[in-house]
Amino acid sequence: MLLRDVDAGDVEAYRRMRCDPVMMADLGGPMPAESVAGQLRHDLDLVARGAGLIKMIVPDPADPTAVAGTVTLHRHAIDGAPAAEIGWMVLPEHQGRGVAGRAVRMLLDEARRAGGWSPVHAFPGVDNAASNGLCRSLGFALLGKRETPFRGQVFRTRHWVLDLLA
Ligand SMILES: CC(C)(COP(=O)(O)OP(=O)(O)OC[C@H]1O[C@@H](n2cnc3c(N)ncnc32)[C@H](O)[C@@H]1OP(=O)(O)O)[C@@H](O)C(=O)NCCC(=O)NCCS
């Protein structure tokens, strides 16, 4: 498995992840198909500006166009302090096999090597067992619960944080 930067050819992978009601159940519901290209442009811009690490998970390095999901880190202020927020999605046929765990570890290693991405925050929905389990096993500290605004809605989430410099 490897991670590669998102590229302009990833529209179909984005559509599969972001327009699926099950995949998006904790992320504000499915995105309208017509918004996918704009989301991809937004992510490409984040990477180009150095404000995001947006990675596609490639299970077979021989075929980098076939992706199992995505792991993302983007820089923004959290509670008024510079920070980064991490996110993850793994397509249903690849779930339950440790793909998210391996991919997130790889992304955090890259961020640690690059520097400037700590602390890393995560805001999984309170009932998202896999995502909360992932935070726990990756060594994130649980700060508590909070209301997190996202895509024009407010979600009941847990708040986890990881210090990459520790
Ligand atoms: C969350 C998601 C990325 C997990 O992907 P995955 O590749 O199946 O996850 P993994 O197999 O690496 O498992 C991650 C951890 O969660 C646990 N887990 C997985 N599925 C679980 C479930 N249904 N219930 C409880 N724990 C679960 C695993 O045991 C593992 O824990 P461990 O690290 O202690 O072994 C995937 O389910 C997904 O994309 N869901 C839809 C999008 C989403 O909710 N994104 C996150 C928004 S906060």
Side-chain angles (χ1 to χ4, degrees), residues 23 26-27 88-90 94-101 124-125 128-131 133-134 137:
M23 291 289 287
D26 278 358
L27 296 165
W88 40 70
M89 298 182 91
V90 169
H94 295 280
Q95 288 179 8
R97 297 187 210 155
V99 169
N128 192 320
S131 291
L134 207 49
S137 67

Coordinates of all heavy atoms in Angstrom, one line a residue, residues 23 26-27 88-90 94-101 124-125 128-131 133-134 137, ligand 1:
M23 N -21.3 6.3 3.3 CA -19.9 6.8 3.5 C -20.0 8.2 4.2 O -19.2 8.6 5.0 CB -19.2 7.0 2.2 CG -18.7 5.8 1.5 SD -17.4 5.0 2.4 CE -16.0 6.0 2.0
D26 N -21.8 10.3 8.6 CA -21.3 11.2 9.7 C -20.7 12.5 9.2 O -20.0 13.2 10.0 CB -20.2 10.4 10.5 CG -20.8 9.5 11.5 OD1 -22.1 9.4 11.6 OD2 -20.1 8.8 12.2
L27 N -20.8 12.7 7.9 CA -20.1 13.9 7.3 C -21.1 14.8 6.6 O -20.8 15.5 5.6 CB -19.0 13.4 6.3 CG -17.9 12.6 7.0 CD1 -17.1 11.8 6.0 CD2 -17.0 13.5 7.8
W88 N -10.5 11.0 7.3 CA -10.2 9.7 6.6 C -11.5 9.1 6.0 O -12.6 9.3 6.6 CB -9.6 8.7 7.5 CG -10.1 8.7 8.9 CD1 -11.3 8.2 9.3 CD2 -9.4 9.1 10.1 NE1 -11.5 8.4 10.7 CE2 -10.3 8.9 11.2 CE3 -8.2 9.7 10.4 CZ2 -10.0 9.2 12.5 CZ3 -7.9 10.0 11.7 CH2 -8.7 9.8 12.7
M89 N -11.4 8.4 4.9 CA -12.5 7.7 4.3 C -11.9 6.5 3.6 O -10.9 6.6 2.9 CB -13.2 8.6 3.2 CG -13.8 9.8 3.8 SD -14.7 10.7 2.4 CE -16.3 10.0 2.6
V90 N -12.5 5.3 3.8 CA -12.1 4.1 3.1 C -13.4 3.5 2.5 O -14.4 3.4 3.1 CB -11.5 3.1 4.1 CG1 -11.3 1.7 3.5 CG2 -10.1 3.7 4.6
H94 N -13.1 -2.0 1.0 CA -11.8 -2.1 1.6 C -11.8 -2.0 3.2 O -10.8 -2.0 3.8 CB -10.8 -1.0 1.1 CG -10.5 -1.2 -0.4 ND1 -9.6 -2.1 -0.9 CD2 -11.1 -0.6 -1.5 CE1 -9.6 -2.0 -2.2 NE2 -10.5 -1.2 -2.6
Q95 N -13.0 -1.7 3.7 CA -13.1 -1.5 5.1 C -12.9 -2.7 6.0 O -13.1 -3.8 5.5 CB -14.5 -0.9 5.5 CG -14.7 0.5 5.0 CD -16.1 1.1 5.3 OE1 -16.9 0.5 6.0 NE2 -16.3 2.3 4.7
G96 N -12.5 -2.5 7.2 CA -12.4 -3.6 8.2 C -11.2 -4.5 8.0 O -11.1 -5.6 8.6
R97 N -10.2 -3.9 7.3 CA -9.0 -4.7 7.1 C -7.7 -3.9 7.5 O -6.6 -4.2 7.1 CB -8.8 -5.0 5.6 CG -9.9 -5.9 5.0 CD -9.5 -6.3 3.6 NE -10.7 -6.5 2.8 CZ -10.7 -6.3 1.5 NH1 -9.6 -6.0 0.8 NH2 -11.8 -6.5 0.8
G98 N -7.9 -2.9 8.3 CA -6.8 -2.1 8.8 C -6.3 -1.1 7.8 O -5.2 -0.5 8.1
V99 N -7.0 -0.8 6.7 CA -6.5 0.1 5.7 C -6.4 1.5 6.3 O -5.4 2.2 6.2 CB -7.4 0.1 4.4 CG1 -7.1 1.3 3.5 CG2 -7.3 -1.2 3.7
A100 N -7.5 2.0 7.0 CA -7.4 3.3 7.5 C -6.3 3.5 8.5 O -5.5 4.4 8.5 CB -8.8 3.7 8.2
G101 N -6.1 2.5 9.4 CA -5.1 2.5 10.4 C -3.7 2.7 9.8 O -2.9 3.5 10.2
P124 N -14.2 13.0 15.2 CA -15.2 12.0 14.7 C -16.5 12.1 15.4 O -16.6 12.5 16.6 CB -14.5 10.6 15.1 CG -13.5 10.9 16.1 CD -13.2 12.4 16.0
G125 N -17.6 11.7 14.7 CA -18.9 11.7 15.3 C -18.9 10.8 16.6 O -18.2 9.8 16.6
N128 N -19.3 7.2 15.9 CA -18.5 6.6 14.8 C -17.4 5.7 15.5 O -16.3 6.1 15.7 CB -17.8 7.7 13.9 CG -17.2 7.1 12.6 OD1 -16.6 6.1 12.7 ND2 -17.4 7.8 11.6
A129 N -17.8 4.4 15.7 CA -17.0 3.5 16.5 C -15.6 3.3 15.8 O -14.6 3.3 16.5 CB -17.7 2.2 16.7
A130 N -15.6 3.1 14.5 CA -14.3 2.8 13.9 C -13.3 4.1 14.0 O -12.2 3.9 14.3 CB -14.5 2.5 12.4
S131 N -13.9 5.3 13.7 CA -13.0 6.4 13.8 C -12.5 6.7 15.2 O -11.4 7.1 15.4 CB -13.8 7.7 13.2 OG -13.9 7.5 11.8
G133 N -12.2 4.5 17.5 CA -11.2 3.4 17.8 C -9.9 3.7 17.2 O -8.8 3.5 17.8
L134 N -9.9 4.2 16.0 CA -8.7 4.6 15.2 C -7.9 5.7 16.0 O -6.7 5.5 16.2 CB -9.1 5.2 13.9 CG -8.2 5.1 12.7 CD1 -7.7 3.7 12.5 CD2 -9.0 5.6 11.5
S137 N -6.3 4.0 19.1 CA -5.2 3.1 18.9 C -4.0 3.9 18.3 O -2.8 3.4 18.4 CB -5.6 1.9 18.0 OG -5.9 2.3 16.8
Ligands
LIG1 C1 -13.9 5.1 9.5 C2 -13.3 4.3 8.4 C3 -12.3 5.2 7.6 C4 -12.5 3.1 8.9 O1 -11.8 2.5 7.9 P1 -11.3 1.0 8.0 O2 -10.2 0.8 7.0 O3 -12.4 0.0 8.0 O4 -10.7 1.0 9.5 P2 -9.6 0.0 10.1 O5 -9.9 -1.4 9.5 O6 -8.2 0.5 9.9 O7 -10.0 0.0 11.6 C5 -9.8 1.1 12.4 C6 -10.1 0.8 13.9 O8 -11.5 0.8 14.1 C7 -11.9 -0.5 14.5 N1 -13.2 -0.7 13.8 C8 -13.3 -0.9 12.5 N2 -14.6 -1.0 12.2 C9 -15.3 -0.9 13.4 C10 -16.6 -1.0 13.8 N3 -17.6 -1.1 12.9 N4 -16.9 -0.9 15.1 C11 -15.9 -0.7 16.1 N5 -14.6 -0.6 15.7 C12 -14.3 -0.7 14.5 C13 -10.8 -1.4 14.1 O9 -10.8 -2.6 15.0 C14 -9.6 -0.6 14.3 O10 -9.2 -0.5 15.6 P3 -7.7 -0.9 16.1 O11 -6.9 0.2 15.4 O12 -7.7 -0.7 17.6 O13 -7.4 -2.2 15.5 C15 -14.4 3.8 7.4 O14 -15.3 3.1 8.1 C16 -15.1 4.9 6.6 O15 -14.6 5.5 5.6 N6 -16.3 5.3 7.0 C17 -17.1 6.3 6.3 C18 -16.5 7.7 6.4 C19 -16.2 8.2 7.8 O16 -17.0 7.9 8.7 N7 -15.1 8.9 8.0 C20 -14.7 9.4 9.2 C21 -15.5 10.6 9.6 S1 -15.0 11.2 11.2

